[in-house]
Amino acid sequence: MTGSVIVIGAGIIGSTTALVLQEAGWNVTLCDPNPPGGKEGASYGNGGWISPASIVPMSMPGLWRQVPGLLMDPDGPLTIDWTSLPRLAPWLIRFVLSGATEARVVRTAGLLNWLLHDGPERHLELAKQTGQEHLIVQNGLLYAYPDRQSFESEALAWRLRKENGVFFEEWDEEKLRCNLAALSADYRFAAYVPKGAHCRDTGAYVAGIVDTAVRAGVRVVSRGVRSISNAPRPRVTLEAGGGLDADYVVVAAGIHSRELMRGLGAKIPMTSERGYHVTMASADQPFDIPVMPSTGKMANTPTNMGLRVSGQVELAAIDKAPNWRRVEVLKRHALASYPYLNDTPHHDMTIWMGHRPSTPDGLPVIGRLARHQRIIAAFGHGHVGVGAAPKTAEMVLGAVKGRPAQEASDFLPARFGY
Ligand SMILES: Cc1cc2nc3c(=O)[nH]c(=O)nc-3n(C[C@H](O)[C@H](O)[C@H](O)COP(=O)(O)OP(=O)(O)OC[C@H]3O[C@@H](n4cnc5c(N)ncnc54)[C@H](O)[C@@H]3O)c2cc1C
């Protein structure tokens, strides 16, 4: 038995979910005031990594000891807007506690592995289904280090990957130079994850998924949703006035899902981990394996628009203006990591800031609300929304059918009391 579903938000999560539900026979309406895959969503400007290795939680044991140092480093990967601190403190405390013990991070890594392990295959299939094979490339992903010692300093992270079956090769300096001559000689060791894939244009990919969904019968309503109600049946009120009702409502509005949930009395702890990118176009693109240099922790991704360097975690209220100083940090890292960029004087650069919708326990929120069984959460994917999108869509399908996978229970909003 099927019925009607309203999906709120046409980012990577909402668009993939809309397509999967429609293909399964549901009658889907997709609401978003912005163009699918547009700059307003995190899905537009992310690093495009489809990584089975992204199972290591951001919050790890001992983080609390590193936080002061990280925060004092203006060029470091983590910054905080002090004026937003009072609002952020409750989330921050839960975040640090979620990774306070090894047992907790082992659990989180296992759940993320369930979510992400077959992301590359699922995306290759989705790309085929939507005629976008040219956008998803499976060339592996590379984590570069100055030396073996720095790799070993992240022993817990690599152990978690190994124990979860994430295969990686260790590359010495010779192998690294041979495969990635463009990378600075300051990096002399790497871990290569052959199964990893990446997307060459994340915004276009989302737009292409929505095009296919529309051809399959999804109705797109280019309006924002102001609120959701649940009695006698699910109904959304549109920002422009008027409303729509359906048998189920799926909330996939990224960071903005927080306000929509609040209207239903569900205070899901989610904050924006703001991130930035700079994309540098240059005549040559001498490498086609995405790289994450350990210094700086930023994703360096070959895209159709040039080399995209994305990263930085900036904890700040979502209504704060972007701090474009963060992009200067990304740019400096790019120029230091790839000497060839310095020889190409006129880069055509684009810059961007987006909101990672992040929960303190590092897991997305997927499934029915305990008190509103016809409202389904599909948000909070933090750093892994691209990799997790196809599996999330499958989980939402399980939720509307009332037959969720057993493992899906760990992602339910009920863990926050809703
Ligand atoms: C710098 C950076 C790098 C990243 N790199 C990676 C990476 O390499 N790999 C990876 O897997 N993930 C990465 N991520 C994370 C990833 O981008 C996100 O997890 C993912 O895009 C979230 O997708 P989403 O669909 O939930 O949200 P979004 O893409 O933000 O989409 C939400 C949509 O909802 C719409 N919306 C908002 N409010 C309403 C409303 N009231 N009514 C209707 N529609 C509404 C918005 O217009 C938007 O289109 C990165 C993120 C950042 C910021």
Side-chain angles (χ1 to χ4, degrees):
M1 206 185 72
T2 59
S4 56
V5 185
I6 295 168
V7 177
I8 306 174
I12 187 72
I13 301 297
S15 61
T16 310
T17 299
L19 176 60
V20 165
L21 292 176
Q22 186 74 31
E23 291 284 348
W26 294 78
N27 183 6
V28 178
T29 302
L30 179 61
C31 296
D32 197 317
N34 298 307
K39 288 185 178 163
E40 299 79 7
S43 304
Y44 168 82
N46 58 68
W49 281 42
I50 300 167
S51 174
S54 294
I55 63 167
V56 180
M58 292 295 132
S59 177
M60 293 281 273
L63 175 72
W64 61 273
R65 258 183 270 121
Q66 296 164 19
V67 166
L70 284 170
L71 297 179
M72 291 303 165
D73 177 2
D75 289 357
L78 174 67
T79 53
I80 191 159
D81 169 47
W82 295 104
T83 61
S84 307
L85 190 59
R87 264 192 279 173
L88 294 171
W91 183 93
L92 210 49
I93 291 165
R94 290 175 89 150
F95 173 72
V96 172
L97 289 177
S98 77
T101 66
E102 199 171 309
R104 288 187 196 163
V105 300
V106 165
R107 177 180 181 273
T108 308
L111 292 169
L112 287 174
N113 187 53
W114 182 76
L115 197 65
L116 295 170
H117 71 100
D118 56 0
E121 290 91 325
R122 286 174 183 265
H123 272 287
L124 287 168
E125 210 176 298
L126 180 62
K128 202 164 157 193
Q129 185 189 357
T130 59
Q132 304 192 95
E133 291 97 326
H134 56 293
L135 292 185
I136 302 295
V137 182
Q138 192 173 30
N139 279 349
L141 300 163
L142 193 84
Y143 296 78
Y145 294 88
D147 46 38
R148 174 177 271 281
Q149 212 181 348
S150 1
F151 164 73
E152 283 168 357
S153 72
E154 295 181 3
L156 175 57
W158 288 103
R159 205 190 82 209
L160 289 171
R161 291 177 176 123
K162 206 174 230 171
E163 286 173 358
N164 280 285
V166 179
F167 175 73
F168 59 91
E169 297 168 6
E170 294 179 14
W171 286 6
D172 61 13
E173 185 170 8
E174 195 188 333
K175 185 138 192 203
L176 182 55
R177 286 288 87 71
C178 204
N179 283 283
L180 224 130
L183 185 66
S184 156
D186 290 345
Y187 296 96
R188 294 184 295 277
F189 190 85
Y192 174 64
V193 180
K195 204 178 143 186
H198 71 282
C199 180
R200 292 191 59 90
D201 186 342
T202 44
Y205 186 49
V206 173
I209 294 169
V210 173
D211 284 347
T212 305
V214 168
R215 281 198 298 278
V218 169
R219 174 181 167 228
V220 172
V221 172
S222 302
R223 296 277 181 276
V225 169
R226 184 183 298 149
S227 61
I228 308 166
S229 56
N230 192 35
R233 74 193 289 245
R235 180 173 176 79
V236 302
T237 303
L238 298 174
E239 266 155 14
L244 302 166
D245 52 19
D247 297 316
Y248 293 93
V249 170
V250 177
V251 183
I255 190 63
H256 300 285
S257 307
R258 192 173 52 182
E259 289 87 63
L260 292 169
M261 284 291 113
R262 215 165 263 171
L264 286 161
K267 289 190 190 153
I268 307 281
M270 185 162 69
T271 202
S272 164
E273 285 187 57
R274 295 162 27 138
Y276 293 81
H277 87 211
V278 55
T279 303
M280 306 165 99
S282 62
D284 21 303
Q285 237 183 49
F287 66 100
D288 54 9
I289 303 174
V291 184
M292 175 138 347
S294 63
T295 43
K297 296 283 177 215
M298 46 193 77
N300 308 162
T301 313
T303 73
N304 288 350
M305 294 71 67
L307 178 67
R308 176 177 290 177
V309 179
S310 63
Q312 301 276 299
V313 169
E314 184 185 49
L315 294 173
I318 58 170
D319 47 5
K320 280 258 165 187
N323 174 4
W324 295 119
R325 221 185 95 77
R326 309 312 309 164
V327 165
E328 292 305 316
V329 177
L330 295 176
K331 232 157 68 181
R332 272 203 304 279
H333 266 277
L335 294 173
S337 302
Y338 305 98
Y340 80 93
L341 288 174
N342 297 284
D343 304 332
T344 319
H346 300 295
H347 305 122
D348 186 7
M349 290 191 208
T350 56
I351 60 174
W352 172 84
M353 188 273 282
H355 302 280
R356 298 181 189 88
S358 298
T359 59
D361 63 7
L363 297 172
V365 186
I366 306 168
R368 294 181 181 217
L369 290 183
R371 270 182 268 156
H372 302 288
Q373 287 281 309
R374 286 175 175 267
I375 313 288
I376 293 159
F379 54 79
H381 291 76
H383 293 246
V384 298
V386 181
K391 182 69 158 253
T392 300
E394 185 183 284
M395 290 165 76
V396 173
L397 178 61
V400 290
K401 283 177 166 173
R403 289 202 299 274
Q406 203 193 330
E407 295 87 340
S409 61
D410 289 305
F411 297 89
L412 287 172
R415 71 185 193 273
F416 295 119
Y418 305 103

